[in-house]
Amino acid sequence: MTSANGSNPTDRKKDGRSVPSPRTADTAQQRKREDDRPGIWVGYGKLLRKFRLAAGYSQEALAPLLGYSAEQVASVEQGRRPAKAPFTEAAERVLNAGGVLATLQDDVDFAKLPPFFRDFVLLEMEAVSRFGYDPLLMPGLLQTEAYARALFEGHVPTLEEEAIEDNVDARLSRQKILTKTPLVDFSFLIGEVALRQELGGPETMREQYQHVLEVGKLRNVAIQVVPIGTGFHAGLNGGFVLVETSEHQQYGYFESQGVGHVVSDSKHVSTFALRYGKLRSQALNIEESAAFIEQLAGER
């Protein structure tokens, strides 16, 4: 209800100015959250609701059939939460969605990624080769769920639990590129510091080492360790990635403090390639690297 002059009677006055009441502020914050919902999440939610109603289920009746709570189903339908792949698989089966929801899953996952990272991921999805150097942390494409969770739980500023779940799920979803068809050629150079930096405790690190060794057995993946104590090497300026797309265009990428940069200028990309080649020659070879990681796993 408003007063004759159109102001909200619950608004407080401060220095002659109208200050929104807590209820008004809460409504504005809710509206902002709704405006921030990715369009693909909203669209997916509307389709999910349409299939649910067509099948004659309430949210409460559908939830146990999917293995989720009614609140989670409602959140997905309202576009407040993204559907995870297991949710979509169950919904396809129970609602006979004919592959419609499954078709949207990759786009739903993509919208979970930080905005600064999306341009690079689009290039990564078109890559025929991807070479990366990670000096301080395990490469995202090689992280286990426990390692990734420990990383996001330590994020500064602190992330809400839902944001942690979204980030972990998005990171694991990206790893499908390791085995997609046609195969992409991968080269990972990992700094010894990244391997020794403990996240999540000894068991998490032991699992992480074993996972890296397993991925390293793939025919299209080469993993090498850049040891400490080799003096000057070409990676001291920081981590970076090189990708070549299916159209044989080459790009570089690097990030720091939550800010990412795609490099398309041929001169700078050529410099990245030169540094990567030099750094690869200074790293342990593939067999030596596997033995080094096995040794670390045995120390845990």
Side-chain angles (χ1 to χ4, degrees):
M1 180 176 180
T2 59
S3 63
N5 63 7
S7 64
N8 190 324
T10 61
D11 286 357
R12 296 165 293 167
K13 295 289 184 179
K14 180 178 181 181
D15 298 331
R17 296 171 296 168
S18 178
V19 179
S21 68
R23 179 177 296 178
T24 303
D26 288 345
T27 301
Q29 290 176 357
Q30 180 180 353
R31 188 178 300 114
K32 183 179 186 303
R33 285 195 296 269
E34 290 176 351
D35 290 343
D36 288 342
R37 296 176 301 176
I40 186 63
W41 295 3
V42 175
Y44 180 105
K46 289 180 177 179
L47 285 172
L48 175 65
R49 183 174 185 274
K50 180 179 178 66
F51 282 121
R52 174 177 63 77
L53 293 176
Y57 291 109
S58 65
Q59 291 177 343
E60 290 74 15
L62 178 62
L65 299 177
L66 302 184
Y68 291 82
S69 69
E71 170 57 30
Q72 287 172 312
V73 172
S75 294
V76 172
E77 284 193 359
Q78 295 163 17
R80 293 187 286 111
R81 298 281 293 120
K84 294 184 178 181
F87 181 102
T88 296
E89 292 168 5
E92 283 281 352
R93 182 180 66 254
V94 174
L95 301 177
N96 295 315
V100 173
L101 298 177
T103 300
L104 299 178
Q105 187 62 49
D106 284 345
D107 292 322
V108 169
D109 291 339
F110 182 77
K112 299 174 190 175
L113 297 169
F116 75 84
F117 192 49
R118 292 174 190 168
D119 286 345
F120 172 71
V121 171
L122 288 174
L123 293 173
E124 188 179 64
M125 291 166 63
E126 296 295 321
V128 295
S129 66
R130 183 194 186 280
F131 296 174
Y133 168 54
D134 293 84
L136 300 178
L137 292 169
M138 296 299 302
L141 291 177
L142 300 182
Q143 291 177 9
T144 63
E145 180 177 351
Y147 184 98
R149 188 176 303 280
L151 186 60
F152 289 118
E153 286 177 346
H155 189 276
V156 178
T158 304
L159 297 175
E160 297 290 341
E161 188 62 35
E162 286 187 356
I164 292 173
E165 291 299 322
D166 288 347
N167 277 287
V168 171
D169 191 54
R171 180 150 297 180
L172 297 180
S173 294
R174 275 184 60 230
Q175 295 177 2
K176 291 183 293 187
I177 193 177
L178 291 168
T179 53
K180 81 178 187 97
T181 303
L183 290 175
V184 179
D185 282 319
F186 288 94
S187 170
F188 295 96
L189 299 182
I190 307 173
E192 182 179 342
V193 171
L195 289 164
R196 292 190 180 277
Q197 180 66 50
E198 183 172 295
L199 270 75
E203 183 58 36
T204 294
M205 293 305 298
R206 188 182 305 111
E207 178 189 30
Q208 179 63 69
Y209 296 142
Q210 294 299 332
H211 179 67
V212 170
L213 291 169
E214 284 302 311
V215 175
K217 295 176 183 177
L218 296 174
R219 292 187 299 111
N220 59 316
V221 176
I223 297 175
Q224 294 174 254
V225 175
V226 180
I228 297 172
T230 56
F232 178 86
H233 63 69
L236 293 180
N237 286 337
F240 59 95
V241 180
L242 281 163
V243 296
E244 182 176 346
T245 69
S246 56
E247 297 180 347
H248 303 293
Q249 296 293 315
Q250 293 185 320
Y251 297 88
Y253 176 80
F254 68 96
E255 67 179 62
S256 178
Q257 299 298 326
V259 179
H261 300 275
V262 173
V263 180
S264 58
D265 179 79
S266 59
K267 179 179 179 181
H268 288 112
V269 174
S270 177
T271 299
F272 278 23
L274 180 63
R275 290 175 179 169
Y276 196 85
K278 185 71 171 179
L279 185 59
R280 197 170 187 177
S281 72
Q282 295 169 322
L284 301 180
N285 65 34
I286 293 174
E287 292 75 18
E288 292 168 341
S289 297
F292 184 88
I293 295 171
E294 287 174 351
Q295 180 181 345
L296 290 178
E299 294 174 0
R300 297 290 170 175

